[in-house]
Amino acid sequence: KTRQGLKELVAELERLLQTVAPKNDLGKPRLPIDRVFSIAGFGTVVTGTLIDGSFAIGQEVEIVPGDKRGRIRGLQSHKEKVERSLPGRRLAVNLSGVAVDEIARGQVIALPGTLQPTALLDARVQYLASAPKPLTHNAEVDFFVGATQVPARVRLLDHEEMKPGESGWVQLHLSQPVALAKNDRFILRFPSPSITVGGGTVVDPHATTRHRRFKPDVIARLETLARGTPEEIVMQFLVSRGTTPVTAKEIAGGTGLGADVIAAALAGL
């Protein structure tokens, strides 16, 4: 109210920003949409925080989930017009070719073909010590990621039940497809009463089958996907797809690795 100390606060924030590494540019930009509106003379505008890559004016983009495509007509970051925006920045995107009623909060803007929605994923969960009761197999929860929220069912892979304060491997079956990628962080809440009980990290955003519980080979695969070298991660992804041919883009989407890292890993393999 008095603005006392504001200069010092801003100076400290600027000092800290000089010590922070730039956000990773994986060449796969995506913008989880948190607001959608229209401006007279400009049309559809969406806002969000850009991650995993950069957007530029004139690029064709895709709305995921969904089959709508548009083109970037203009970009603004902190009320300044920009030609290109780097990952990690708040961004307003003026879209042509897409109407306001064709987009909703929770969808994601991405380059065409780089992001696929999923309803079945593997993850590592940390269950909060403050949770009011154990997390049981097939428990119903609300799943929050990016700017979206959907009901989900939790399948415990290495616990009979997860007690408050424990962590473990789970498979999440979402009630509807959601756009996300490997290493995305999420929150779990009980729907009634509504309370946050845990969170975690996506390890395989596109699980191909329902895993059997307490299988050592399943747990070993998830451990590798979470902590292995790029070569191990790429190999695990290829093995999980069996004899089905996959593209470099599909490997990138399933592993969260950048194109250069994937190329080096494939060369090494």
Side-chain angles (χ1 to χ4, degrees):
K1 291 182 177 180
T2 67
R3 302 180 73 84
Q4 182 178 352
L6 186 59
K7 278 186 178 180
E8 291 81 359
L9 175 60
V10 172
E12 179 64 7
L13 288 171
E14 289 180 343
R15 184 190 68 80
L16 289 172
L17 283 172
Q18 302 307 313
T19 69
V20 176
K23 295 292 185 181
N24 289 335
D25 189 338
L26 303 180
K28 297 175 290 183
R30 51 195 175 103
L31 185 87
I33 299 169
D34 51 44
R35 285 196 305 153
V36 183
F37 53 92
S38 63
I39 297 178
F42 291 91
T44 303
V45 177
V46 301
T47 65
T49 300
L50 183 62
I51 52 179
D52 288 354
S54 59
F55 274 149
I57 292 176
Q59 282 183 312
E60 184 183 20
V61 293
E62 184 176 35
I63 313 300
V64 186
D67 57 359
K68 298 295 181 182
R69 292 197 179 190
R71 194 168 295 276
I72 297 176
R73 182 179 177 185
L75 297 170
Q76 276 195 10
S77 185
H78 298 287
K79 299 183 180 180
E80 291 186 3
K81 292 183 178 181
V82 294
E83 293 292 320
R84 176 179 292 273
S85 182
L86 300 177
R89 303 192 73 179
R90 287 293 298 173
L91 191 64
V93 183
N94 181 202
L95 293 172
S96 63
V98 185
V100 169
D101 59 4
E102 294 177 319
I103 311 177
R105 174 184 168 90
Q107 290 179 299
V108 178
I109 299 178
L111 298 183
T114 61
L115 187 64
Q116 300 297 322
T118 182
L120 188 66
L121 60 102
D122 299 329
R124 182 76 181 179
V125 161
Q126 175 64 53
Y127 197 52
L128 293 180
S130 59
K133 60 183 179 180
L135 183 65
T136 57
H137 183 61
N138 280 330
E140 292 184 358
V141 296
D142 285 332
F143 175 84
F144 295 78
V145 67
T148 194
Q149 166 193 353
V150 296
R153 193 173 293 276
V154 182
R155 302 187 67 249
L156 302 180
L157 299 180
D158 58 356
H159 283 72
E160 286 291 351
E161 64 175 20
M162 197 177 295
K163 295 181 174 60
E166 292 185 335
S167 61
W169 293 106
V170 304
Q171 191 166 54
L172 290 161
H173 191 183
L174 310 182
S175 62
Q176 63 191 61
V178 169
L180 49 75
K182 186 177 185 292
N183 297 325
D184 278 357
R185 298 187 66 81
F186 59 85
I187 290 171
L188 299 180
R189 288 174 63 88
F190 282 155
S192 181
S194 185
I195 180 175
T196 299
V197 293
T201 305
V202 175
V203 174
D204 186 350
H206 299 283
T208 53
T209 59
R210 284 167 57 95
H211 301 313
R212 293 179 60 187
R213 303 177 68 197
F214 306 109
K215 296 288 290 183
D217 58 328
V218 171
I219 303 304
R221 173 180 168 272
L222 295 177
E223 292 280 0
T224 297
L225 286 175
R227 303 183 181 88
T229 65
E231 288 82 3
E232 291 171 332
I233 292 171
V234 169
M235 178 59 79
Q236 282 284 11
F237 178 83
L238 295 175
V239 169
S240 72
R241 296 308 185 265
T243 58
T244 304
V246 295
T247 66
K249 282 186 178 180
E250 289 171 325
I251 297 174
T255 64
L257 300 174
D260 292 345
V261 175
I262 290 171
L266 290 173
L269 292 169

